[in-house]
Amino acid sequence: MSASATLTSKGSGTVSCAAVISGSGTISVDGVLAATITAQASLGSGGAVLYTPTTTETSVQTASSSVSWGDVATISASEFTGGEDYLILCSANVGNLSSTSTLNHFKMIHGSTDFVGSSKVVESHNASEPSDVYGYMTKFTQPATPEDIKFQFKGSNTQADSISIIAMPLASLTENTDYFFNEDDDSASPTSHGTSYSSFASVSFTPTNNNDDWLVIANPTVRVDSTADNYLYSIKHGTDDRPYFSHEGEDVGENSTTILSRVFTLSSASSQTFAVQGKDDSTGI
């Protein structure tokens, strides 16, 4: 496993960081004023209203090259503030137009630099439509001169659609109060799985209030080196290990990045720990 991360965030309705609901309001996304929110909607303990750079691409995109990376979706550098932290989230439906034996490549970049752990290399399960899911999360500090954030792909007839990139600004929120983040980056020398769950990235904290809702997002990245075993990942909280997934590699050249997420209602103002856990269903992967 490499570059797994967890983000624990308080609230409901937002997918990237702390969101305590308190008071009515409106949301502006990409400069377009959304409908007035009838429910209460302040973000974070300070009630900040945040401009959130986003981009979406809903039509199917097909790669033009099997060797050169092509841009699929972009948030322009002009949408960002230099020196500020952002939680970056990307999701997409991915696959191949004509083959179930071709490796398809996907990644995220800032400027011309790859985001660590963002590479997904996968064989398509179905040639009639994108049949797999790309999911990536990271906490990123824009340089003094902001950079574009892009989702890219390459491969013969590689496809992607329903692409969404969200960059949630964190500057108006308080880390370790409004949100918690931790990353376990061993991409240079990935940790081999065992057949029992091991914890990788984790966050621990004591909530201020009982019965608050917390959004937890986990993002493991996996190198596949066996097609005979399943790799399994879950969000672990006490005795609860849901959500989880189990997936078998189709090619030893694959690399997987996936998002797991869930809202937890924490009924006790005592210490809470959330962890990304991973294992294999048999020895060898």
Side-chain angles (χ1 to χ4, degrees):
M1 185 196 74
S2 65
S4 67
T6 54
L7 177 106
T8 306
S9 57
K10 185 166 60 173
S12 62
T14 58
V15 293
S16 55
C17 77
V20 180
I21 304 303
S22 61
S24 61
T26 59
I27 293 177
S28 176
V29 179
D30 275 345
V32 178
L33 189 64
T36 298
I37 299 172
T38 54
Q40 299 168 331
S42 294
L43 187 62
S45 58
V49 178
L50 304 179
Y51 174 78
T52 303
T54 65
T55 187
T56 58
E57 176 58 68
T58 57
S59 60
V60 176
Q61 304 294 303
T62 303
S64 59
S65 174
S66 60
V67 295
S68 299
W69 290 98
D71 298 342
V72 191
T74 301
I75 302 180
S76 171
S78 63
E79 300 288 309
F80 296 98
T81 300
E84 290 198 357
D85 292 339
Y86 292 84
L87 183 76
I88 307 297
L89 287 162
C90 180
S91 64
N93 294 335
V94 298
N96 192 282
L97 173 65
S98 60
S99 173
T100 57
S101 60
T102 298
L103 289 174
N104 306 283
H105 299 255
F106 310 90
K107 67 177 181 179
M108 294 283 294
I109 66 170
H110 54 94
S112 59
T113 303
D114 291 1
F115 278 110
V116 174
S118 71
S119 170
K120 185 178 184 76
V121 183
V122 64
E123 285 187 358
S124 183
H125 303 289
N126 187 335
S128 63
E129 61 183 358
S131 58
D132 210 322
V133 175
Y134 178 94
Y136 179 67
M137 173 185 72
T138 193
K139 181 184 173 187
F140 173 64
T141 303
Q142 279 283 4
T145 301
E147 299 174 326
D148 292 343
I149 302 294
K150 295 182 179 182
F151 175 67
Q152 295 186 317
F153 64 3
K154 69 177 181 179
S156 178
N157 290 315
T158 291
Q159 290 192 323
D161 73 358
S162 301
I163 305 144
S164 175
I165 307 174
I166 300 173
M168 176 62 73
L170 301 177
S172 297
L173 304 176
T174 302
E175 187 167 8
N176 299 325
T177 298
D178 294 325
Y179 72 94
F180 300 81
F181 183 89
N182 187 31
E183 185 174 39
D184 175 20
D185 177 13
D186 57 1
S187 53
S189 181
T191 300
S192 296
H193 290 168
T195 54
S196 298
Y197 273 120
S198 295
S199 293
F200 296 99
S202 66
V203 292
S204 298
F205 65 98
T206 300
T208 303
N209 304 312
N210 289 338
N211 297 316
D212 275 347
D213 291 335
W214 289 78
L215 176 63
V216 181
I217 306 171
N219 176 211
T221 298
V222 186
R223 293 186 188 180
V224 175
D225 61 6
S226 169
T227 59
D229 307 281
N230 283 32
Y231 54 90
L232 296 81
Y233 274 88
S234 70
I235 295 176
K236 179 70 169 178
H237 175 242
T239 59
D240 192 342
D241 59 359
R242 299 293 188 272
Y244 83 100
F245 72 88
S246 175
H247 195 276
E248 183 180 74
E250 299 298 320
D251 189 291
V252 293
E254 288 184 324
N255 197 76
S256 175
T257 178
T258 306
I259 282 180
L260 295 164
S261 64
R262 176 182 161 186
V263 173
F264 291 80
T265 301
L266 302 182
S267 58
S268 173
S270 58
S271 180
Q272 310 285 328
T273 297
F274 295 90
V276 183
Q277 289 202 328
K279 69 172 185 176
D280 296 336
D281 64 355
S282 60
T283 301
I285 194 168

